[in-house]
Amino acid sequence: MKARVTITLKNGVLDPQGKAIQHALGSLGFSGVEDVRQGKLIELELATTDRVAAQAEVEAMCEKLLANTVIENYSVELV
Amino acid sequence: MRSAIVLFPGINRERDMARALKRASGVEPVIVWHKETTLPAVDLVVIPGGFSYGDYLRCGAIAARSPIMRDVVARANAGTMVLGVCNGFQVLTESGLLPGALMRNAHLKFLCRDVHLRVETAATRFTGAYCEGQTIRVPVAHGDGNYFADADTIARLDGEGRVVFRYATAAGEVLPEANPNGSIGNIAGIINERGNVLGMMPHPEDAIEPAQGSSDGLGLFESMVAALEPAA
């Protein structure tokens, strides 16, 4: 089973990379972009087939290493 | 002063740190590889600057979960002095020994230059050789030094006098234009509640003699020696 973890900066935390992307889009003529937030995607290949256990395990991984919950949110999707 | 420097793969400032510690204390520090699980008997543990694990995932994140960090945290909780500089500061926040996080510099540029710091408090074991309000000049070299913490944490740090260094002008004024990386409140270094764990982004170990352009950083090392080896 594959788990897809999406990590984004929390609302209110300045995202300078997102801002740089927004400016670059603007200079390319894409004028309608009101905000850009950049995050990261981590894909995990899991041995288990138990969805409930997998969800709990990956959330524990996020809390312990994958996300810094001071500044980041995470979401877990099992696919 | 017996000290240990923790070495992670990708760290590159351990020799500068060792030199500064030796100069101030006369004792060569012990270098401890991150896969060790126990530190030697020391008075001070230092996590130096560099790019542990290539800054993969987040700066300091993987180093903070290395085997040796369990003992670093245990020693810190038992009262041993711990100093983290630059990447070391990131490791200390990632390991939970200090609050907050270090984010990408607000203007996205890697900084490598001298800055001025205002010493906000001399009442710590790391800053006793300075005067409160003194301005010192030391270098910074980082891409992720933008200190962030939530409003409650900042209020607590301010209220408890735990902001040790702030970026300032040469005249010692804490102004937005003196902030190189976007850190909240121009924060350059903080200390834990107990006063034995200090984290800072600038590099005092690279400003210990006139040939380096400044010897203002030596005071930090002399402060630690004085705190650990009180004159008889």
mmCIF file of all heavy atoms in Angstrom, chain A residues 20-63:
data_model
loop_
_atom_site.group_PDB
_atom_site.id
_atom_site.type_symbol
_atom_site.label_atom_id
_atom_site.label_comp_id
_atom_site.label_asym_id
_atom_site.label_seq_id
_atom_site.Cartn_x
_atom_site.Cartn_y
_atom_site.Cartn_z
ATOM 1 N N ALA A 20 8.053 33.844 -3.901
ATOM 2 C CA ALA A 20 8.949 33.961 -5.065
ATOM 3 C C ALA A 20 8.291 33.350 -6.299
ATOM 4 O O ALA A 20 8.377 33.894 -7.409
ATOM 5 C CB ALA A 20 10.282 33.280 -4.770
ATOM 6 N N ILE A 21 7.603 32.224 -6.109
ATOM 7 C CA ILE A 21 6.908 31.569 -7.230
ATOM 8 C C ILE A 21 5.789 32.473 -7.750
ATOM 9 O O ILE A 21 5.604 32.647 -8.956
ATOM 10 C CB ILE A 21 6.346 30.203 -6.779
ATOM 11 C CG1 ILE A 21 7.490 29.249 -6.436
ATOM 12 C CG2 ILE A 21 5.447 29.607 -7.857
ATOM 13 C CD1 ILE A 21 7.047 28.004 -5.677
ATOM 14 N N GLN A 22 5.060 33.079 -6.790
ATOM 15 C CA GLN A 22 3.963 33.972 -7.173
ATOM 16 C C GLN A 22 4.483 35.132 -8.028
ATOM 17 O O GLN A 22 3.900 35.478 -9.065
ATOM 18 C CB GLN A 22 3.288 34.497 -5.906
ATOM 19 C CG GLN A 22 2.031 35.321 -6.188
ATOM 20 C CD GLN A 22 1.445 35.915 -4.915
ATOM 21 O OE1 GLN A 22 1.897 35.644 -3.810
ATOM 22 N NE2 GLN A 22 0.424 36.743 -5.093
ATOM 23 N N HIS A 23 5.614 35.727 -7.595
ATOM 24 C CA HIS A 23 6.184 36.840 -8.357
ATOM 25 C C HIS A 23 6.604 36.377 -9.752
ATOM 26 O O HIS A 23 6.387 37.075 -10.748
ATOM 27 C CB HIS A 23 7.394 37.433 -7.617
ATOM 28 C CG HIS A 23 7.003 38.229 -6.407
ATOM 29 N ND1 HIS A 23 6.058 39.236 -6.455
ATOM 30 C CD2 HIS A 23 7.407 38.165 -5.122
ATOM 31 C CE1 HIS A 23 5.906 39.757 -5.253
ATOM 32 N NE2 HIS A 23 6.710 39.110 -4.414
ATOM 33 N N ALA A 24 7.202 35.177 -9.819
ATOM 34 C CA ALA A 24 7.664 34.663 -11.109
ATOM 35 C C ALA A 24 6.476 34.421 -12.045
ATOM 36 O O ALA A 24 6.537 34.730 -13.230
ATOM 37 C CB ALA A 24 8.456 33.378 -10.906
ATOM 38 N N LEU A 25 5.385 33.888 -11.477
ATOM 39 C CA LEU A 25 4.188 33.668 -12.302
ATOM 40 C C LEU A 25 3.663 34.999 -12.820
ATOM 41 O O LEU A 25 3.281 35.124 -13.993
ATOM 42 C CB LEU A 25 3.114 32.942 -11.477
ATOM 43 C CG LEU A 25 3.385 31.463 -11.192
ATOM 44 C CD1 LEU A 25 2.367 30.913 -10.199
ATOM 45 C CD2 LEU A 25 3.359 30.637 -12.478
ATOM 46 N N GLY A 26 3.671 36.004 -11.928
ATOM 47 C CA GLY A 26 3.205 37.335 -12.326
ATOM 48 C C GLY A 26 4.030 37.887 -13.473
ATOM 49 O O GLY A 26 3.494 38.437 -14.442
ATOM 50 N N SER A 27 5.359 37.681 -13.387
ATOM 51 C CA SER A 27 6.213 38.247 -14.433
ATOM 52 C C SER A 27 6.072 37.473 -15.741
ATOM 53 O O SER A 27 6.450 37.950 -16.804
ATOM 54 C CB SER A 27 7.673 38.294 -13.965
ATOM 55 O OG SER A 27 8.167 36.992 -13.832
ATOM 56 N N LEU A 28 5.519 36.263 -15.684
ATOM 57 C CA LEU A 28 5.249 35.500 -16.909
ATOM 58 C C LEU A 28 3.875 35.839 -17.496
ATOM 59 O O LEU A 28 3.463 35.251 -18.489
ATOM 60 C CB LEU A 28 5.313 33.994 -16.621
ATOM 61 C CG LEU A 28 6.711 33.417 -16.391
ATOM 62 C CD1 LEU A 28 6.621 31.976 -15.914
ATOM 63 C CD2 LEU A 28 7.549 33.503 -17.662
ATOM 64 N N GLY A 29 3.164 36.737 -16.812
ATOM 65 C CA GLY A 29 1.881 37.172 -17.343
ATOM 66 C C GLY A 29 0.675 36.477 -16.737
ATOM 67 O O GLY A 29 -0.456 36.750 -17.118
ATOM 68 N N PHE A 30 0.893 35.579 -15.765
ATOM 69 C CA PHE A 30 -0.242 34.949 -15.080
ATOM 70 C C PHE A 30 -0.679 35.880 -13.946
ATOM 71 O O PHE A 30 -0.174 35.797 -12.830
ATOM 72 C CB PHE A 30 0.156 33.582 -14.527
ATOM 73 C CG PHE A 30 0.540 32.583 -15.591
ATOM 74 C CD1 PHE A 30 1.873 32.302 -15.851
ATOM 75 C CD2 PHE A 30 -0.436 31.931 -16.340
ATOM 76 C CE1 PHE A 30 2.233 31.398 -16.831
ATOM 77 C CE2 PHE A 30 -0.079 31.018 -17.322
ATOM 78 C CZ PHE A 30 1.252 30.752 -17.576
ATOM 79 N N SER A 31 -1.610 36.738 -14.254
ATOM 80 C CA SER A 31 -1.908 37.833 -13.326
ATOM 81 C C SER A 31 -2.920 37.453 -12.253
ATOM 82 O O SER A 31 -3.064 38.154 -11.264
ATOM 83 C CB SER A 31 -2.409 39.040 -14.111
ATOM 84 O OG SER A 31 -3.543 38.647 -14.866
ATOM 85 N N GLY A 32 -3.626 36.355 -12.426
ATOM 86 C CA GLY A 32 -4.731 36.059 -11.514
ATOM 87 C C GLY A 32 -4.348 35.244 -10.286
ATOM 88 O O GLY A 32 -5.217 34.752 -9.578
ATOM 89 N N VAL A 33 -3.069 35.101 -9.998
ATOM 90 C CA VAL A 33 -2.661 34.235 -8.880
ATOM 91 C C VAL A 33 -2.597 35.066 -7.591
ATOM 92 O O VAL A 33 -1.747 35.934 -7.452
ATOM 93 C CB VAL A 33 -1.289 33.582 -9.145
ATOM 94 C CG1 VAL A 33 -0.907 32.650 -7.990
ATOM 95 C CG2 VAL A 33 -1.340 32.799 -10.455
ATOM 96 N N GLU A 34 -3.523 34.814 -6.684
ATOM 97 C CA GLU A 34 -3.601 35.652 -5.489
ATOM 98 C C GLU A 34 -2.658 35.207 -4.379
ATOM 99 O O GLU A 34 -2.264 35.998 -3.535
ATOM 100 C CB GLU A 34 -5.046 35.684 -4.989
ATOM 101 C CG GLU A 34 -5.930 36.472 -5.959
ATOM 102 C CD GLU A 34 -7.380 36.503 -5.565
ATOM 103 O OE1 GLU A 34 -7.776 35.754 -4.633
ATOM 104 O OE2 GLU A 34 -8.127 37.266 -6.194
ATOM 105 N N ASP A 35 -2.317 33.945 -4.355
ATOM 106 C CA ASP A 35 -1.381 33.483 -3.335
ATOM 107 C C ASP A 35 -0.790 32.148 -3.787
ATOM 108 O O ASP A 35 -1.448 31.393 -4.510
ATOM 109 C CB ASP A 35 -2.095 33.312 -1.984
ATOM 110 C CG ASP A 35 -1.112 33.148 -0.825
ATOM 111 O OD1 ASP A 35 0.048 33.595 -0.973
ATOM 112 O OD2 ASP A 35 -1.496 32.575 0.209
ATOM 113 N N VAL A 36 0.429 31.863 -3.394
ATOM 114 C CA VAL A 36 1.050 30.562 -3.672
ATOM 115 C C VAL A 36 1.647 30.040 -2.368
ATOM 116 O O VAL A 36 2.345 30.768 -1.659
ATOM 117 C CB VAL A 36 2.181 30.672 -4.734
ATOM 118 C CG1 VAL A 36 2.863 29.321 -4.927
ATOM 119 C CG2 VAL A 36 1.629 31.183 -6.057
ATOM 120 N N ARG A 37 1.359 28.796 -2.041
ATOM 121 C CA ARG A 37 1.980 28.149 -0.895
ATOM 122 C C ARG A 37 2.715 26.932 -1.426
ATOM 123 O O ARG A 37 2.138 26.117 -2.140
ATOM 124 C CB ARG A 37 0.926 27.691 0.131
ATOM 125 C CG ARG A 37 -0.039 28.776 0.567
ATOM 126 C CD ARG A 37 0.555 29.771 1.519
ATOM 127 N NE ARG A 37 0.752 29.230 2.867
ATOM 128 C CZ ARG A 37 1.434 29.875 3.809
ATOM 129 N NH1 ARG A 37 2.006 31.033 3.538
ATOM 130 N NH2 ARG A 37 1.573 29.354 5.006
ATOM 131 N N GLN A 38 3.991 26.812 -1.064
ATOM 132 C CA GLN A 38 4.752 25.640 -1.506
ATOM 133 C C GLN A 38 4.849 24.637 -0.368
ATOM 134 O O GLN A 38 5.051 25.017 0.787
ATOM 135 C CB GLN A 38 6.153 26.072 -1.925
ATOM 136 C CG GLN A 38 7.027 24.890 -2.268
ATOM 137 C CD GLN A 38 8.388 25.307 -2.801
ATOM 138 O OE1 GLN A 38 8.497 25.938 -3.832
ATOM 139 N NE2 GLN A 38 9.423 24.944 -2.064
ATOM 140 N N GLY A 39 4.715 23.373 -0.698
ATOM 141 C CA GLY A 39 4.851 22.343 0.321
ATOM 142 C C GLY A 39 5.728 21.226 -0.193
ATOM 143 O O GLY A 39 6.464 21.395 -1.153
ATOM 144 N N LYS A 40 5.639 20.067 0.467
ATOM 145 C CA LYS A 40 6.376 18.926 -0.064
ATOM 146 C C LYS A 40 5.547 17.663 0.018
ATOM 147 O O LYS A 40 4.611 17.562 0.812
ATOM 148 C CB LYS A 40 7.730 18.768 0.621
ATOM 149 C CG LYS A 40 7.694 18.550 2.094
ATOM 150 C CD LYS A 40 9.114 18.573 2.663
ATOM 151 C CE LYS A 40 9.237 19.606 3.759
ATOM 152 N NZ LYS A 40 10.505 19.730 4.373
ATOM 153 N N LEU A 41 5.906 16.733 -0.843
ATOM 154 C CA LEU A 41 5.166 15.481 -0.972
ATOM 155 C C LEU A 41 6.128 14.340 -0.676
ATOM 156 O O LEU A 41 7.217 14.287 -1.233
ATOM 157 C CB LEU A 41 4.658 15.375 -2.418
ATOM 158 C CG LEU A 41 3.959 14.092 -2.808
ATOM 159 C CD1 LEU A 41 2.599 14.008 -2.122
ATOM 160 C CD2 LEU A 41 3.764 14.045 -4.317
ATOM 161 N N ILE A 42 5.717 13.452 0.225
ATOM 162 C CA ILE A 42 6.548 12.294 0.553
ATOM 163 C C ILE A 42 5.707 11.040 0.307
ATOM 164 O O ILE A 42 4.615 10.917 0.861
ATOM 165 C CB ILE A 42 7.020 12.347 2.027
ATOM 166 C CG1 ILE A 42 7.849 13.616 2.267
ATOM 167 C CG2 ILE A 42 7.833 11.093 2.383
ATOM 168 C CD1 ILE A 42 8.200 13.859 3.714
ATOM 169 N N GLU A 43 6.200 10.142 -0.522
ATOM 170 C CA GLU A 43 5.471 8.902 -0.791
ATOM 171 C C GLU A 43 6.157 7.744 -0.077
ATOM 172 O O GLU A 43 7.377 7.587 -0.168
ATOM 173 C CB GLU A 43 5.410 8.638 -2.298
ATOM 174 C CG GLU A 43 4.434 9.569 -2.991
ATOM 175 C CD GLU A 43 4.171 9.193 -4.436
ATOM 176 O OE1 GLU A 43 5.009 8.496 -5.050
ATOM 177 O OE2 GLU A 43 3.122 9.601 -4.959
ATOM 178 N N LEU A 44 5.366 6.955 0.606
ATOM 179 C CA LEU A 44 5.898 5.820 1.361
ATOM 180 C C LEU A 44 5.264 4.543 0.821
ATOM 181 O O LEU A 44 4.045 4.483 0.645
ATOM 182 C CB LEU A 44 5.543 5.954 2.854
ATOM 183 C CG LEU A 44 5.885 7.296 3.524
ATOM 184 C CD1 LEU A 44 5.158 7.412 4.852
ATOM 185 C CD2 LEU A 44 7.378 7.391 3.732
ATOM 186 N N GLU A 45 6.084 3.555 0.584
ATOM 187 C CA GLU A 45 5.570 2.235 0.186
ATOM 188 C C GLU A 45 5.510 1.388 1.445
ATOM 189 O O GLU A 45 6.550 1.141 2.068
ATOM 190 C CB GLU A 45 6.516 1.628 -0.853
ATOM 191 C CG GLU A 45 5.924 0.507 -1.675
ATOM 192 C CD GLU A 45 4.769 0.958 -2.576
ATOM 193 O OE1 GLU A 45 4.986 1.850 -3.411
ATOM 194 O OE2 GLU A 45 3.669 0.414 -2.414
ATOM 195 N N LEU A 46 4.309 0.966 1.836
ATOM 196 C CA LEU A 46 4.144 0.251 3.107
ATOM 197 C C LEU A 46 3.884 -1.229 2.866
ATOM 198 O O LEU A 46 3.223 -1.597 1.897
ATOM 199 C CB LEU A 46 2.981 0.854 3.903
ATOM 200 C CG LEU A 46 3.061 2.357 4.188
ATOM 201 C CD1 LEU A 46 1.772 2.823 4.841
ATOM 202 C CD2 LEU A 46 4.254 2.671 5.084
ATOM 203 N N ALA A 47 4.372 -2.045 3.799
ATOM 204 C CA ALA A 47 4.189 -3.487 3.678
ATOM 205 C C ALA A 47 2.774 -3.917 4.080
ATOM 206 O O ALA A 47 2.255 -4.907 3.581
ATOM 207 C CB ALA A 47 5.227 -4.215 4.536
ATOM 208 N N THR A 48 2.167 -3.149 4.956
ATOM 209 C CA THR A 48 0.884 -3.563 5.512
ATOM 210 C C THR A 48 -0.258 -3.395 4.501
ATOM 211 O O THR A 48 -0.174 -2.593 3.569
ATOM 212 C CB THR A 48 0.564 -2.755 6.789
ATOM 213 O OG1 THR A 48 -0.672 -3.231 7.307
ATOM 214 C CG2 THR A 48 0.429 -1.276 6.488
ATOM 215 N N THR A 49 -1.340 -4.140 4.720
ATOM 216 C CA THR A 49 -2.551 -3.942 3.922
ATOM 217 C C THR A 49 -3.685 -3.446 4.809
ATOM 218 O O THR A 49 -4.806 -3.265 4.367
ATOM 219 C CB THR A 49 -2.996 -5.262 3.256
ATOM 220 O OG1 THR A 49 -3.076 -6.267 4.269
ATOM 221 C CG2 THR A 49 -2.007 -5.701 2.183
ATOM 222 N N ASP A 50 -3.376 -3.228 6.069
ATOM 223 C CA ASP A 50 -4.369 -2.780 7.049
ATOM 224 C C ASP A 50 -4.431 -1.249 7.013
ATOM 225 O O ASP A 50 -3.517 -0.557 7.470
ATOM 226 C CB ASP A 50 -3.930 -3.287 8.439
ATOM 227 C CG ASP A 50 -4.907 -2.859 9.536
ATOM 228 O OD1 ASP A 50 -5.659 -1.881 9.331
ATOM 229 O OD2 ASP A 50 -4.898 -3.520 10.596
ATOM 230 N N ARG A 51 -5.505 -0.722 6.469
ATOM 231 C CA ARG A 51 -5.591 0.725 6.255
ATOM 232 C C ARG A 51 -5.605 1.507 7.564
ATOM 233 O O ARG A 51 -5.008 2.573 7.668
ATOM 234 C CB ARG A 51 -6.848 1.072 5.439
ATOM 235 C CG ARG A 51 -6.821 0.507 4.025
ATOM 236 C CD ARG A 51 -8.050 0.936 3.243
ATOM 237 N NE ARG A 51 -8.038 2.359 2.934
ATOM 238 C CZ ARG A 51 -7.431 2.882 1.871
ATOM 239 N NH1 ARG A 51 -6.796 2.103 1.025
ATOM 240 N NH2 ARG A 51 -7.460 4.181 1.658
ATOM 241 N N VAL A 52 -6.306 0.986 8.556
ATOM 242 C CA VAL A 52 -6.405 1.696 9.835
ATOM 243 C C VAL A 52 -5.029 1.761 10.502
ATOM 244 O O VAL A 52 -4.586 2.819 10.964
ATOM 245 C CB VAL A 52 -7.443 1.011 10.761
ATOM 246 C CG1 VAL A 52 -7.468 1.689 12.123
ATOM 247 C CG2 VAL A 52 -8.825 1.058 10.100
ATOM 248 N N ALA A 53 -4.341 0.618 10.493
ATOM 249 C CA ALA A 53 -3.004 0.585 11.103
ATOM 250 C C ALA A 53 -2.041 1.481 10.325
ATOM 251 O O ALA A 53 -1.222 2.199 10.916
ATOM 252 C CB ALA A 53 -2.487 -0.854 11.119
ATOM 253 N N ALA A 54 -2.159 1.448 8.992
ATOM 254 C CA ALA A 54 -1.258 2.251 8.159
ATOM 255 C C ALA A 54 -1.450 3.739 8.430
ATOM 256 O O ALA A 54 -0.489 4.491 8.572
ATOM 257 C CB ALA A 54 -1.509 1.938 6.685
ATOM 258 N N GLN A 55 -2.702 4.149 8.517
ATOM 259 C CA GLN A 55 -3.008 5.563 8.775
ATOM 260 C C GLN A 55 -2.363 6.004 10.090
ATOM 261 O O GLN A 55 -1.694 7.046 10.164
ATOM 262 C CB GLN A 55 -4.542 5.754 8.837
ATOM 263 C CG GLN A 55 -5.000 7.186 9.108
ATOM 264 C CD GLN A 55 -4.939 8.073 7.865
ATOM 265 O OE1 GLN A 55 -5.031 7.591 6.739
ATOM 266 N NE2 GLN A 55 -4.758 9.375 8.077
ATOM 267 N N ALA A 56 -2.551 5.187 11.135
ATOM 268 C CA ALA A 56 -2.005 5.544 12.449
ATOM 269 C C ALA A 56 -0.482 5.583 12.426
ATOM 270 O O ALA A 56 0.147 6.486 12.986
ATOM 271 C CB ALA A 56 -2.503 4.539 13.498
ATOM 272 N N GLU A 57 0.101 4.600 11.739
ATOM 273 C CA GLU A 57 1.560 4.514 11.672
ATOM 274 C C GLU A 57 2.158 5.727 10.945
ATOM 275 O O GLU A 57 3.129 6.328 11.404
ATOM 276 C CB GLU A 57 1.927 3.214 10.925
ATOM 277 C CG GLU A 57 3.400 2.932 10.809
ATOM 278 C CD GLU A 57 3.990 2.253 12.036
ATOM 279 O OE1 GLU A 57 3.312 2.212 13.076
ATOM 280 O OE2 GLU A 57 5.133 1.771 11.921
ATOM 281 N N VAL A 58 1.559 6.104 9.823
ATOM 282 C CA VAL A 58 2.097 7.223 9.050
ATOM 283 C C VAL A 58 1.887 8.541 9.805
ATOM 284 O O VAL A 58 2.741 9.429 9.786
ATOM 285 C CB VAL A 58 1.483 7.268 7.630
ATOM 286 C CG1 VAL A 58 1.974 8.499 6.867
ATOM 287 C CG2 VAL A 58 1.859 6.009 6.855
ATOM 288 N N GLU A 59 0.766 8.661 10.509
ATOM 289 C CA GLU A 59 0.572 9.874 11.310
ATOM 290 C C GLU A 59 1.637 9.973 12.403
ATOM 291 O O GLU A 59 2.139 11.049 12.699
ATOM 292 C CB GLU A 59 -0.841 9.896 11.920
ATOM 293 C CG GLU A 59 -1.885 10.300 10.883
ATOM 294 C CD GLU A 59 -3.313 10.300 11.405
ATOM 295 O OE1 GLU A 59 -3.500 10.211 12.636
ATOM 296 O OE2 GLU A 59 -4.231 10.401 10.562
ATOM 297 N N ALA A 60 1.987 8.832 12.984
ATOM 298 C CA ALA A 60 3.048 8.835 14.001
ATOM 299 C C ALA A 60 4.381 9.250 13.375
ATOM 300 O O ALA A 60 5.164 9.995 13.978
ATOM 301 C CB ALA A 60 3.165 7.445 14.640
ATOM 302 N N MET A 61 4.631 8.789 12.137
ATOM 303 C CA MET A 61 5.859 9.186 11.434
ATOM 304 C C MET A 61 5.882 10.703 11.208
ATOM 305 O O MET A 61 6.923 11.344 11.338
ATOM 306 C CB MET A 61 5.946 8.487 10.067
ATOM 307 C CG MET A 61 6.152 6.995 10.116
ATOM 308 S SD MET A 61 6.123 6.374 8.405
ATOM 309 C CE MET A 61 5.812 4.639 8.703
ATOM 310 N N CYS A 62 4.726 11.248 10.858
ATOM 311 C CA CYS A 62 4.637 12.698 10.630
ATOM 312 C C CYS A 62 4.956 13.454 11.908
ATOM 313 O O CYS A 62 5.718 14.424 11.907
ATOM 314 C CB CYS A 62 3.249 13.074 10.137
ATOM 315 S SG CYS A 62 2.924 12.529 8.454
ATOM 316 N N GLU A 63 4.359 13.022 13.006
ATOM 317 C CA GLU A 63 4.555 13.710 14.293
ATOM 318 C C GLU A 63 6.007 13.613 14.747
ATOM 319 O O GLU A 63 6.541 14.533 15.353
ATOM 320 C CB GLU A 63 3.643 13.088 15.368
ATOM 321 C CG GLU A 63 2.159 13.366 15.161
ATOM 322 C CD GLU A 63 1.787 14.816 15.461
ATOM 323 O OE1 GLU A 63 2.489 15.466 16.274
ATOM 324 O OE2 GLU A 63 0.796 15.295 14.870
#
